[in-house]
Structures are given as structure tokens and as C-alpha cells.
Amino acid sequence: MFQPGVVWRDSAGQPINAHGGGVLFHHGIYFWYGCHKIEGLSEAADADGGVRAYASRDLVNWHDFGMVLPLDGRGDEDLRHGCIFDRPKVVFHARTRQFVLFFKFYVKGHGSRVGFVGVATSRSPAGPFVYQHKFLGGNSPEGTGDFALFQDDDGALYHLAVRKPDKAFVVGKMSDDYLMPEGAYQVAEGITRHTEAPAVIKRDGRYWMLASDSTGWDPNAARSFSAPTIFGPWTSHGNPCEGINPHNGLGSELTFGGQSASIITLADRPDACIAFFDINKPDHPFDSLYVWLPISFAGGRMSIRWRDRWSLDVFAAE
Ligand code: DGJ
């Protein structure tokens, strides 16, 4: 059973340490990649430790694969403790057979004015990943902040992100090998300015986005949008959340205390989607929690209702 908002332990009994994460399915196994937060350090004291990965066959029970991209500076100066390293996501490139890992990246000692996207690759979903380079997205000299990557049915990969410094939401296509943006980004018509934490899926030929407002580490109301093409025009469907998280007393207006990280699609049920939120704890991020909840699509909108406990059987009932 999934139990949103309580400590989620791996098969060794340790709290799962993979924040701002995403899940990739490959050859019968789900891989959960997320940001490892160093125990005892606050966000202000540089808690980011790199990317940790877990594996599962059922999405409930997770085995720790350990660090697949540590911030130890080995091999590249960029990847040093003290940089800001957030929201890692992995996609598989069918032709190059590479697993490509993207992360939100601020260089050590340079604050958060300029936001890069870091790129690392591996031949195996279990890593290790090798850092390749960083790029500035959004056709902006200050780059982008929170982002989503969406792999379309034809294999094309899109980078969707909040642009710096104006916080417009932009969409750009990645190159055929996925490693760099290609061509100009477009402002996504219909997506409210200051939209962060985006996660994108496609369903019945329509693109859907779950996202948040922009309030630092503090929770705010979730946002949802849909569009006939990845570039828009996007239609707002408002806050998809309903209910209250009994563990912290926070309701839909604060996304149960969480912020979106990604959407997980079941391997055998592409219409069955799970919203992945983090409950951020910037003073002790090692203790941040996860909220995974099923998404239902009805009446032309998405809805995400709080559940204390649930299993994948909810999708069979639909
Ligand atoms: C909001 C983002 O969504 C988070 O991932 C994090 O980067 C915070 N901002 C930092 O303030």
C-alpha cells in the first residue's frame, strides 16, 4: 500500500532519500531517481549530495541502488558539494541506448541568479552516470529554473521550464541525441507566469501538466493545464487537489504541504498516472516526505484526491 505523507522506507528499512524525483520504467523494473539530501544539513547549508536511485517491480517496495551521480567533484569541478542540484530526471534514448539524466543546477558560489540544466549519461539505468555538460535553456542568458522533460510518441524530447529572470513558462525541443536544446524556445501560451515544479504527460493525444506556484520551499496551491500541442495553447484547469493531509492538517490550497516533482505512468496501463509530490523541509531536508496519489481524469480536468492508504487496485476499478 502507498501511504502518502508518512516516512517511506526502502527494503533495508532506511527512509527513501530521493527528493524532487522521477520514475523510469525499463525492462520490467521501475527506477526512482531523486536528489540525495545529506543528513544533518539544511538547504541553506548545502544539503544536496547528488542523485540516488532505487529499483522496484511494484512501485511500493524499493531497493536502494545507492548514489548514481555523487557530488564529489571527481571527474568534473562543476559537480562539487556546495552547488545547488535539484529535481533530477532520467529518460532513455532508444537509438543511442543511453540513459540521459537532467538536473536543475546552480554553480557553487554563484547564487541562484543563473540557472543551468546539467546533463549526465549512462549505459545502464542503474548508473553510474557520467557528467557531460550544462546548458542555459530558454534562450535566456540567465537560463531556467524548475523544469520537466517530456518524451513524445515520436521520440522527440521537450524541455519545459520557467525562464529566468521573468518567470515566463517556455517550451523548447531538445536535439535528436537529447543532449542540448535545439532551436528557439517558445513562451507557452496559457501557462501562468511564476509556474514551477512542472510535470507533463500525454493522454488520448492531449498534453497535461501538473505544476505549482512559485513560493520558494513553502507549499502553495497546485496548478493544472492541458493543451492540444506541447507548445500550447494551454488551458488552465485550476487546482486539481482535493482533501486534507491528516498528518500535517494541510489541505488542497497548500497541496497537502507538498509540491509536484513528476507524474508516474504505470508500465502496463499508460492511462494510469500517479502524482508525485515532495513535502519539502528546508531546515532538515533529509526528513522531507513524499506524497504519491492517483490522478483521475474526468469531466475534462485532472483531479487528485487525498487518500490515507491506497494500492494500484484503484486503477483497476476505473
Ligand atoms: C521552488 C522549487 O520548486 C524547488 O525545487 C526549489 O528549487 C525551491 N524553489 C528553492 O527555493
Side-chain angles (χ1 to χ4, degrees):
M1 297 287 261
F2 297 98
Q3 284 187 265
V6 302
V7 176
W8 194 345
R9 295 183 185 280
D10 66 16
S11 54
Q14 297 302 313
I16 294 178
N17 191 348
H19 306 277
V23 173
L24 173 80
F25 182 76
H26 193 77
H27 289 169
I29 297 176
Y30 292 98
F31 292 88
W32 174 351
Y33 304 93
C35 187
H36 169 95
K37 300 290 181 179
I38 301 168
E39 196 168 3
L41 294 185
S42 66
E43 293 292 356
D46 302 322
D48 294 330
V51 182
R52 195 168 194 100
Y54 294 80
S56 174
R57 288 194 184 274
D58 60 10
L59 288 169
V60 174
N61 299 289
W62 291 92
H63 172 76
D64 182 11
F65 260 73
M67 300 301 291
V68 295
L69 183 65
L71 285 184
D72 57 8
R74 222 178 301 154
D76 196 288
E77 288 231 301
D78 270 351
L79 293 192
R80 284 183 294 163
H81 177 239
C83 67
I84 297 177
F85 186 112
D86 223 356
R87 300 184 165 272
K89 302 288 176 301
V90 175
V91 292
F92 177 61
H93 194 299
R95 185 175 47 79
T96 64
R97 313 297 299 168
Q98 278 192 322
F99 295 84
V100 187
L101 187 159
F102 299 86
F103 50 95
K104 183 177 151 189
F105 185 36
Y106 298 127
V107 174
K108 179 174 181 168
H110 291 264
S112 57
R113 189 177 64 84
V114 177
F116 291 93
V117 178
V119 182
T121 58
S122 175
R123 290 265 157 216
S124 161
F129 284 82
V130 177
Y131 178 64
Q132 302 295 334
H133 55 250
K134 59 184 184 297
F135 67 81
L136 290 170
N139 304 118
S140 167
E142 294 184 21
T144 54
D146 285 7
F147 71 96
L149 288 157
F150 179 74
Q151 197 173 30
D152 216 334
D153 307 327
D154 61 359
L157 187 71
Y158 296 91
H159 175 222
L160 301 97
V162 56
R163 183 171 68 189
K164 285 172 174 279
D166 64 351
K167 297 212 174 184
F169 200 87
V170 295
V171 184
K173 188 169 181 287
M174 299 296 289
S175 55
D176 283 350
D177 62 7
Y178 293 176
L179 302 180
M180 286 294 284
E182 177 187 88
Y185 282 72
Q186 294 180 26
V187 173
E189 188 192 326
I191 298 197
T192 330
R193 228 168 246 267
H194 296 245
T195 290
E196 288 191 337
V200 180
I201 53 145
K202 191 175 184 180
R203 195 186 157 82
D204 299 332
R206 198 165 173 85
Y207 299 82
W208 289 85
M209 184 186 299
L210 172 66
S212 75
D213 194 354
S214 175
T215 53
W217 292 110
D218 295 336
N220 53 56
R223 300 174 173 184
S224 61
F225 305 89
S226 72
T229 80
I230 194 92
F231 293 102
W234 292 83
T235 303
S236 170
H237 302 290
N239 182 349
C241 298
E242 296 162 36
I244 292 183
N245 173 353
H247 308 293
N248 58 14
L250 299 179
S252 58
E253 68 292 348
L254 291 178
T255 313
F256 320 119
Q259 188 182 26
S260 38
S262 55
I263 297 176
I264 301 154
T265 302
L266 294 203
D268 53 348
R269 285 280 309 269
D271 56 328
C273 298
I274 300 172
F276 174 157
F277 302 97
D278 292 284
I279 296 188
N280 295 315
K281 304 207 175 194
D283 294 335
H284 31 88
F286 180 84
D287 296 331
S288 297
L289 299 166
Y290 311 99
V291 170
W292 284 22
L293 289 167
I295 305 180
S296 70
F297 294 85
R301 61 186 298 270
M302 63 162 77
S303 69
I304 303 169
R305 187 167 57 77
W306 177 268
R307 294 162 194 256
D308 292 343
R309 294 165 72 85
W310 63 282
S311 76
L312 295 178
D313 293 346
V314 299
F315 294 116
E318 283 198 346

